[in-house]
Every structure is written in C-alpha cells, then in structure tokens.
Amino acid sequence: MSIWETDVKISFFQKLDKNKKVDILIIGGGLSGIHTLYKFKEEQSICLVEANTIGCGVTKNTTGKLTYLQENTLGYLIKKGKQKEAKLYLKSQIEGIQEYLKIIKEEQIDCNLEKVSSYLVTNQEKYLSDLEQIEEFLKNEEILVKRGIPENTLPFLAGISVLDTYVFHPLKYIKGILKKIQPESIYENTRVVNITKNNDIYECITKEGYTIFAKKVIVACHYPFFLFPYFLPIKTSIEKSYIIAKQVNANLKYSYITMESPSMSSRFYQNKDKMYQLILGKSHSTSVSQNDKQNFHEVKQENQIEEDSIICSWSNVDIKTFDHMPLVGELKDNLYIITGFETWGLIQSLVSANIIKDLLDGKPSLLSDLFSPKRSFLKKILCSPFYLTLNGYSFLKSKFYKKNWYSNQLEFYRKDGKLLAVFHDEAGAHVVHPVCPHMKCGLIFNEKEKTWDCPCHSSKFDIDGNVLKGPSKKSISYFDE
Ligand SMILES: Cc1cc2nc3c(=O)[nH]c(=O)nc-3n(C[C@H](O)[C@H](O)[C@H](O)COP(=O)(O)OP(=O)(O)OC[C@H]3O[C@@H](n4cnc5c(N)ncnc54)[C@H](O)[C@@H]3O)c2cc1C
C-alpha cells in the first residue's frame, strides 16, 4: 500500500452491465484516462472504463512530484543537442504545471499542493558536464537555476535546482477532479479484453462479454493489453523502483533526484501534524533484478533508514521508450494511445490529454509530432534489436531462473505436465500457474507484496492469481482453468 492510499479511498463507480454506444471511449482510469475525460467533460457521448478502481494503477504509487527538472526526458534531449525538441518539451512541462495550478485553484481541490525546489544532483564526476549542460540550457530559457545541493540529506558532489515546482497528493487530486466529472460516464471493474472494428465503429468487448460500440477509442491503460497494432514490447522496456515512506521531524521544501543509474529520489510530505520523507531507490530495468525483498533492503541500507521509522513501502513500474519521449497520439484510424511516460507521467498525462483533445479537434501540433507513436521510424527500427534482446533476456531469465522464485514459502509441482506453484499462508494454499498469459513469460514471486510479477511487461497477479495489473487480461488461478 502506498502512502497515498492510507488516507484516501476513491468513491465507487458502477460496473458496466449492458452493451453501450458512445462517440468516445477511454480505456483506463489512471491520471491519463481521468485527465482525458476531464478535457472532454462537456462531451455528451463519452465514457471511461477502468478494469479495477480509479487511480489504482501506477498512478497511486507515484512520488507525486510536479517538476520539469527530469533527468531522463529533458536531460536526454539536451545532452543529445536536440535544442528545438528540448525547448518544446520544457515548454510543455512548464505549461503542464501551470495548468495543474489552474485546475487545483478553479476546482478548489485540496491535495496537499506545496511549492518546493527541485534538485538534480550527482555523486559522480562523470555527470558534472551533463549537469552543466542542463544548467546552461535552462538559463538560456530564462529559468532561474541555482547551483548547490539540498540541505540535511546525504552528501552529494554537485547539483542544480529550480524553484517553481511542486509536490502534491495524487489520489486527493484525482478525488477532487472526479467531482467535476459526470459519475455516469465512469465504469469501474470493467476490463476491456478485446477491440475489433466493424465498418467505422470499434467494438470493445469487456471481460463479462458486453460490447461498447465507439467511434473513437483512447487507450490509456499504461501497458496496452493488445500487441497489434504497434507491438510495444520491441519499442519499450519496464523500469521498476522501490519507495519507502518514513516519519521525520521536518517538512523540508525540496525534492531531489540523482543523475546516476540506479537513480535515487526523495520528497517530503506533510499530512496534518505528521511529516514524512519518501525515498525512492534502486530503479532498474525489470530484466536486471527481480528480488524485491533484497531491493527494499538495499534502499533501506543505502539511505540509513531505521526500521521503526518506516510507515509504508511499495514498488512501482513505468514504461521507458526508445527516445525517452512519451507515446501519445493516433495508432490507426480513430484508435489513440497514451503511454510511455518514463516515470514522469503526472504532468505528461495532462499534456497528453491536451494533445489528444487537439488531435480529435483536428489540430495537430509540433508537440503532437514529438510525442507521436508513429514518429522516428528509423530510430524505432534501430532500437528494436535492443528492446528485443532485453525482452528476450527477461523472458529467458524468467523461465530459467529458479532460486525458488525468491521465497521459501512456495512449493512447485507439475500436474498433467503443467507447472503449478502453491503459496501457503494462514488462509491455506493458493495455487497458480506461474506463467503470464500475455506473452508466456515466467512469473516471479514478489515475497514483499505477495504477488506474482511479470519481469517482461509488468503484469501483476495476487496470490490467488487474479490480475492486479495488465497487460495480461487473464487470471493465472489454477482453479479458473
Ligand atoms: C516509482 C515511480 C515514481 C513516480 N513518480 C512520479 C512523480 O513524482 N512525478 C511524475 O510526474 N510521475 C511519476 N511517475 C510516473 C507516473 O506515476 C505514471 O507515469 C502515471 O501515473 C501513469 O498514469 P497512467 O494513467 O498512464 O497509468 P495507470 O495509473 O497505471 O492507469 C492505467 C489504468 O488502466 C487500467 N487498465 C489496464 N488495463 C485495462 C483494461 N484492459 N481495461 C480497462 N482498464 C484497464 C488500470 O487498472 C489502471 O488503473 C512515477 C512512476 C514510478 C514508477
């Protein structure tokens, strides 16, 4: 459970129990879907379907920072000398923050919004020139940048900071924004499992077998549950990070992120008279490391976190793309996608919702070109072998790496040639077939969260095999078969 879930429950919405006809269907109720729905709130014929509950995906597990000092996205463009793109990207992020402030003010959303400085820091000399390049770029864009490192934290070699950035409570924000949206337009516990096209109408089939007929479909479900069009696995990889919230005595007005890999980041959060520090660490590709318990342990050690100060801890994943830019736009006739946020999706989801709105209104822009999922054919082709190898490596590792799947509470056996895994706890035996239905990767048991995780494309299942997170559409419960 993330710290945001401890004090906010999003109210329950209806479940779809009949066929439905709309002009626009949004699939996925994270910030991407909710922002898009908000942008179309005047639209009469629209609905959003969410497989579980609103905000329950990657969104509820973020660190809640609204900053444009993003090393992997903005930093990448600057370092590559892509000045024009970097300016465009920076402008979009600054405008995104301004729009957040406007929405929060206009809709009177109480979401613990605080203005804090954002730091980009490093402990390694090899990053000093990159840091300088980013600093120079920001100065040229007339942004007030300061040199220096944050106070009262681990010692860093160097850093820069900007002032006009924020932190907030993502679930309180969603709860506030939902008050401005017609509740009849939202369906929870409604998972789309298939999309087909008949004449000009998309037919989106739900797990329960109902059909939503839609002229336009916006897929905002993080990792899409379909492979074609686009075949995302060869254009992306999955990054996972570990977050610990600990109680502290002061609410310091800064956030930071390190430039090195694996990166580390932090922010503070105050809820009434209680103050917390969120520390994120050990970010890595899921193909590299799969032992969550060990990773949490290392984050604790590296940051000298006392066990009894910990309030909660959780992990999260996001999608990295071939050029560090999001994938937002039309995939093919009236089928749109919003994904690939590289761990910076809070602002990007709002920026993306604007792009989708403009595209549907027939107004493409330079930014929609920069984020277009159809962009840079050559780059995609060149990157594909890398992602193919990474995905292949994850697949093979998941199949052959044993070590009892990181838990000694598991038993494995074969029945009729099929691998089964049994997890024992007070409630009894939980039997699953530990193979992801999406692309047949072997699942890894996450002892910390008591889930089965896919190291290739980030599907997640509970101990009874129910899908917690896609792209898998199916459960892995033995008893469902
Ligand atoms: C460790 C970590 C920290 C982060 N911190 C920050 C931060 O400080 N600032 C920042 O800007 N960004 C941050 N991010 C990134 C940001 O949280 C994400 O990019 C963003 O929340 C993604 O939102 P989303 O709506 O696209 O995805 P999600 O929130 O995952 O929403 C997708 C929704 O679609 C639903 N769904 C899936 N399949 C289906 C289906 N078939 N039918 C119906 N519904 C479906 C899911 O249940 C889910 O609710 C962080 C990411 C990570 C990994």
Side-chain angles (χ1 to χ4, degrees), residues 27-33 49-66 190-193 220-223 225 239 241-243 280 316-318 338-339 341-349 468-470 473:
I27 303 174
L31 258 179
S32 300
V49 291
E50 161 55 47
N52 299 310
T53 53
I54 296 297
C56 74
V58 176
T59 296
K60 75 168 167 45
N61 291 330
T62 73
T63 41
K65 292 190 273 176
L66 297 173
T190 303
R191 181 180 290 278
V192 173
V193 291
C221 62
H222 196 243
Y223 204 106
F225 53 92
E239 178 161 298
S241 310
Y242 304 83
I243 306 161
L280 175 152
N316 202 13
V317 290
D318 213 353
I338 305 179
T339 191
F341 288 152
E342 293 250 345
T343 76
W344 293 109
L346 300 182
I347 306 175
Q348 288 177 1
S349 58
L468 296 173
K469 181 185 178 312
K473 302 177 283 193

Side-chain angles (χ1 to χ4, degrees), residues 296-396:
F296 272 112
H297 179 70
E298 286 176 23
V299 175
K300 248 190 291 181
Q301 278 202 324
E302 284 165 13
N303 292 281
Q304 298 150 21
I305 302 173
E306 306 279 343
E307 191 64 48
D308 57 7
S309 68
I310 298 177
I311 300 299
C312 54
S313 56
W314 65 98
S315 66
N316 202 13
V317 290
D318 213 353
I319 300 172
K320 303 208 85 169
T321 66
F322 58 93
D323 60 0
H324 303 278
M325 289 291 105
L327 300 162
V328 180
E330 194 176 24
L331 280 181
K332 65 170 197 181
D333 13 288
N334 291 323
L335 179 66
Y336 297 82
I337 195 166
I338 305 179
T339 191
F341 288 152
E342 293 250 345
T343 76
W344 293 109
L346 300 182
I347 306 175
Q348 288 177 1
S349 58
L350 184 54
V351 172
S352 303
N354 286 328
I355 290 178
I356 297 290
K357 174 95 174 61
D358 284 349
L359 288 177
L360 264 66
D361 290 345
K363 291 190 281 186
S365 62
L366 286 176
L367 191 66
S368 64
D369 289 348
L370 184 66
F371 287 8
S372 167
K374 294 178 184 159
R375 70 182 178 263
S376 187
F377 178 73
L378 185 66
K379 180 113 197 173
K380 268 187 284 192
I381 295 293
L382 291 175
C383 287
S384 293
F386 170 73
Y387 285 114
L388 205 56
T389 311
L390 205 60
N391 273 273
Y393 177 68
S394 306
F395 177 81
L396 290 173

Side-chain angles (χ1 to χ4, degrees), residues 20-85:
K20 195 168 171 67
K21 218 168 149 186
V22 284
D23 285 347
I24 305 173
L25 168 68
I26 301 167
I27 303 174
L31 258 179
S32 300
I34 292 297
H35 272 143
T36 310
L37 187 60
Y38 179 72
K39 288 284 149 184
F40 285 99
K41 61 181 188 303
E42 308 306 333
E43 182 75 41
Q44 292 304 311
S45 181
I46 188 165
C47 78
L48 179 150
V49 291
E50 161 55 47
N52 299 310
T53 53
I54 296 297
C56 74
V58 176
T59 296
K60 75 168 167 45
N61 291 330
T62 73
T63 41
K65 292 190 273 176
L66 297 173
T67 177
Y68 54 86
L69 200 50
Q70 308 160 2
E71 180 352 67
N72 50 345
T73 45
L74 181 64
Y76 166 82
L77 294 172
I78 296 168
K79 282 181 282 184
K80 287 275 169 199
K82 296 188 170 212
Q83 296 290 320
K84 210 172 75 198
E85 290 85 351

Side-chain angles (χ1 to χ4, degrees), residues 218-234:
I218 300 159
V219 180
C221 62
H222 196 243
Y223 204 106
F225 53 92
F226 49 82
L227 284 174
F228 300 104
Y230 207 60
F231 203 57
L232 207 64
I234 63 161

Side-chain angles (χ1 to χ4, degrees), residues 413 420 429-433 464 475-481:
Y413 65 96
L420 296 178
H430 308 266
V431 190
V432 302
H433 173 47
D464 292 312
S475 111
I476 53 159
S477 168
Y478 172 63
F479 299 107
D480 279 359
E481 304 199 345

Side-chain angles (χ1 to χ4, degrees), residues 117-357:
S117 306
S118 292
Y119 284 84
L120 183 60
V121 292
T122 183
N123 252 330
Q124 292 183 22
E125 290 203 358
K126 67 176 180 182
Y127 291 112
L128 292 181
S129 64
D130 290 349
L131 199 62
E132 271 170 28
Q133 251 180 304
I134 296 174
E135 180 187 4
E136 198 184 309
F137 171 81
L138 292 173
K139 280 186 173 157
N140 287 340
E141 293 306 301
E142 296 181 359
I143 288 176
L144 187 60
V145 196
K146 283 191 189 166
R147 273 196 191 201
I149 59 168
E151 286 171 7
N152 297 324
T153 184
L154 301 175
F156 293 110
L157 183 62
I160 56 171
S161 66
V162 294
L163 297 170
D164 47 349
T165 56
Y166 295 80
V167 289
F168 76 140
H169 187 314
L171 291 188
K172 282 192 186 172
Y173 171 79
I174 292 191
K175 202 171 175 176
I177 218 168
L178 283 173
K179 290 194 182 135
K180 305 295 163 184
I181 291 173
Q182 298 292 339
E184 309 83 68
S185 60
I186 300 181
Y187 295 89
E188 285 183 328
N189 298 304
T190 303
R191 181 180 290 278
V192 173
V193 291
N194 200 12
I195 304 180
T196 54
K197 200 170 175 216
N198 198 350
N199 296 322
D200 280 343
I201 301 293
Y202 282 102
E203 297 181 358
C204 303
I205 319 292
T206 69
K207 194 170 163 225
E208 281 71 27
Y210 301 111
T211 305
I212 307 166
F213 300 92
K215 291 181 188 156
K216 295 174 188 195
V217 176
I218 300 159
V219 180
C221 62
H222 196 243
Y223 204 106
F225 53 92
F226 49 82
L227 284 174
F228 300 104
Y230 207 60
F231 203 57
L232 207 64
I234 63 161
K235 287 149 195 142
T236 56
S237 64
I238 304 287
E239 178 161 298
K240 185 164 187 174
S241 310
Y242 304 83
I243 306 161
I244 295 178
K246 67 167 188 171
Q247 200 155 355
V248 288
N249 296 323
N251 176 19
L252 303 179
K253 303 289 179 198
Y254 65 77
S255 72
Y256 70 77
I257 185 159
T258 61
M259 299 182 81
E260 27 280 272
S261 182
S263 65
M264 225 161 57
S265 89
S266 176
R267 65 159 281 193
F268 291 83
Y269 162 58
Q270 178 158 8
N271 190 13
K272 299 187 183 122
D273 57 344
K274 296 250 166 48
M275 286 162 284
Y276 308 95
Q277 183 179 11
L278 274 56
I279 297 166
L280 175 152
K282 292 260 39 113
S283 304
H284 61 78
S285 157
T286 45
S287 34
V288 179
S289 166
Q290 294 156 0
N291 188 344
D292 274 38
K293 213 173 171 183
Q294 177 64 22
N295 287 322
F296 272 112
H297 179 70
E298 286 176 23
V299 175
K300 248 190 291 181
Q301 278 202 324
E302 284 165 13
N303 292 281
Q304 298 150 21
I305 302 173
E306 306 279 343
E307 191 64 48
D308 57 7
S309 68
I310 298 177
I311 300 299
C312 54
S313 56
W314 65 98
S315 66
N316 202 13
V317 290
D318 213 353
I319 300 172
K320 303 208 85 169
T321 66
F322 58 93
D323 60 0
H324 303 278
M325 289 291 105
L327 300 162
V328 180
E330 194 176 24
L331 280 181
K332 65 170 197 181
D333 13 288
N334 291 323
L335 179 66
Y336 297 82
I337 195 166
I338 305 179
T339 191
F341 288 152
E342 293 250 345
T343 76
W344 293 109
L346 300 182
I347 306 175
Q348 288 177 1
S349 58
L350 184 54
V351 172
S352 303
N354 286 328
I355 290 178
I356 297 290
K357 174 95 174 61

